[in-house]
Amino acid sequence: MLRKLASAFIVPLGLVHAAMAAELPKSGVVEAGTLTYGVAATFAPFEFQKDGKLTGFDIDFVEAISQKLKAKPAPMNMEFKGLIPALQGGRLDIINSAMYMNPARAEQVDFVPYMKIGNMVVVQAGNAGKITGRNETLCGKTIAVTLGGIQESQARADDKNCKDKGLKSVDVKTFPTAQDSWLNLRQGRADAVYDSTPGAAKVLDELPGVFETVGAEFESNTSIGIATRKGDQAMQASLKAAIAEVVADGTYKGLLTKWKLPASVSIFN
């Protein structure tokens, strides 16, 4: 169902008329000439902070989009759960924060998709809990996830599945940031973390011997997109035109390489 819904959001960027130069809408933006975007910079390699500065694929991506729109990118870093309310309240023009597209969010915002990714179950090295993947071995265990993220929905669905089968429930622990989830796993206060496949790969690379993935990648065709206010057709058109240019000139592919994301995540192949 989710795959069908996600595909329904996707409008091929190639359909944007070639003669249509990307430009920021003349009205309806927070500040003229500026693309004000919301981001929760806790989700490496998409958005995180390094030496006090925002960095990651999404930060570079919105910079490239802004250049096409001849606009100044203005990030507003906040907790993930506050992003949609800030957009709906007119404090943001868009949300650019690796937001997973799902039915609940689609009722609140519109999306311009730009990538598809999967997810992994990660445990402490040695796997003392003998978890084998996203299955019944998680029943009775504690899963750490980011509050409001798609992984919270996945973990709560697994909790329901365990209960429906008469098994021990899943204790879903929510935290403001992915870093908090990883810390709780490392300290043994959680048995597993759900994270995106790129995010898990980055953590395992940075902390060798500390964590390991178990089981197969799941929901591997989950679309992520830039969110706009419901019905904001002008911003949708601007983003689609700008992204088409970013893809056509090779910038998008270059950013995948820079941030060590597999070519399989691209929806523009």
Side-chain angles (χ1 to χ4, degrees):
M1 172 65 183
L2 180 57
R3 291 186 182 182
K4 291 181 180 178
L5 181 61
S7 63
F9 290 125
I10 299 174
V11 177
L13 295 176
L15 295 182
V16 178
H17 197 285
M20 178 183 174
E23 62 178 1
L24 194 68
K26 302 298 184 185
S27 61
V29 294
V30 174
E31 182 179 350
T34 300
L35 184 62
T36 303
Y37 71 95
V39 61
T42 61
F43 191 37
F46 296 99
E47 44 269 326
F48 57 105
Q49 296 191 69
K50 184 175 182 181
D51 300 326
K53 296 182 178 180
L54 293 174
T55 189
F57 176 90
D58 282 338
I59 307 304
D60 288 348
F61 189 47
V62 79
E63 177 73 31
I65 290 172
S66 297
Q67 288 181 6
K68 300 299 183 184
L69 296 174
K70 298 179 177 59
K72 173 186 174 183
M76 290 185 65
N77 188 17
M78 62 185 71
E79 286 191 17
F80 192 86
K81 65 180 180 180
L83 291 171
I84 289 179
L87 178 65
Q88 293 174 326
R91 295 171 55 205
L92 306 172
D93 297 319
I94 63 171
I95 297 170
N96 177 61
S97 195
M99 183 167 278
Y100 287 42
M101 294 162 52
N102 62 33
R105 289 179 184 150
E107 292 179 357
Q108 303 174 75
V109 300
D110 291 331
F111 285 104
V112 178
Y114 62 91
M115 191 178 289
K116 64 181 189 297
I117 58 177
N119 303 273
M120 294 296 300
V121 178
V122 186
V123 299
Q124 281 189 344
N127 192 15
K130 296 182 171 25
I131 296 169
T132 59
R134 192 184 178 203
N135 54 38
E136 293 177 2
T137 61
L138 287 164
C139 299
K141 302 296 195 301
T142 298
I143 303 175
V145 293
T146 303
L147 178 65
I150 189 67
Q151 284 85 9
E152 179 183 356
S153 299
Q154 293 164 344
R156 295 200 184 283
D158 293 340
D159 174 45
K160 182 178 184 303
N161 182 59
C162 289
K163 291 176 180 175
D164 288 347
K165 292 182 178 180
L167 301 173
K168 292 183 178 179
S169 62
V170 173
D171 184 9
V172 182
K173 296 287 190 183
T174 59
F175 298 96
T177 71
Q179 286 87 339
D180 292 326
S181 295
W182 288 113
L183 179 62
N184 273 264
L185 176 60
R186 188 171 190 175
Q187 295 178 340
R189 294 198 294 267
D191 299 300
V193 161
Y194 286 179
D195 201 355
S196 71
T197 301
K202 181 175 177 61
V203 171
L204 266 63
D205 179 63
E206 292 179 344
L207 298 170
V210 176
F211 304 114
E212 63 180 272
T213 60
V214 292
E217 183 181 57
F218 59 93
E219 296 190 14
S220 57
N221 199 29
T222 300
S223 292
I224 60 178
I226 295 174
T228 65
R229 275 185 292 279
K230 270 291 184 184
D232 190 348
Q233 296 181 1
M235 182 60 72
Q236 283 265 322
S238 293
L239 291 175
K240 290 174 183 176
I243 293 173
E245 292 183 19
V246 169
V247 171
D249 69 12
T251 300
Y252 178 88
K253 183 177 180 180
L255 291 179
L256 294 183
T257 300
K258 174 182 177 179
W259 292 103
K260 299 179 181 179
L261 296 169
S264 60
V265 304
S266 175
I267 63 171
F268 307 117
N269 298 330

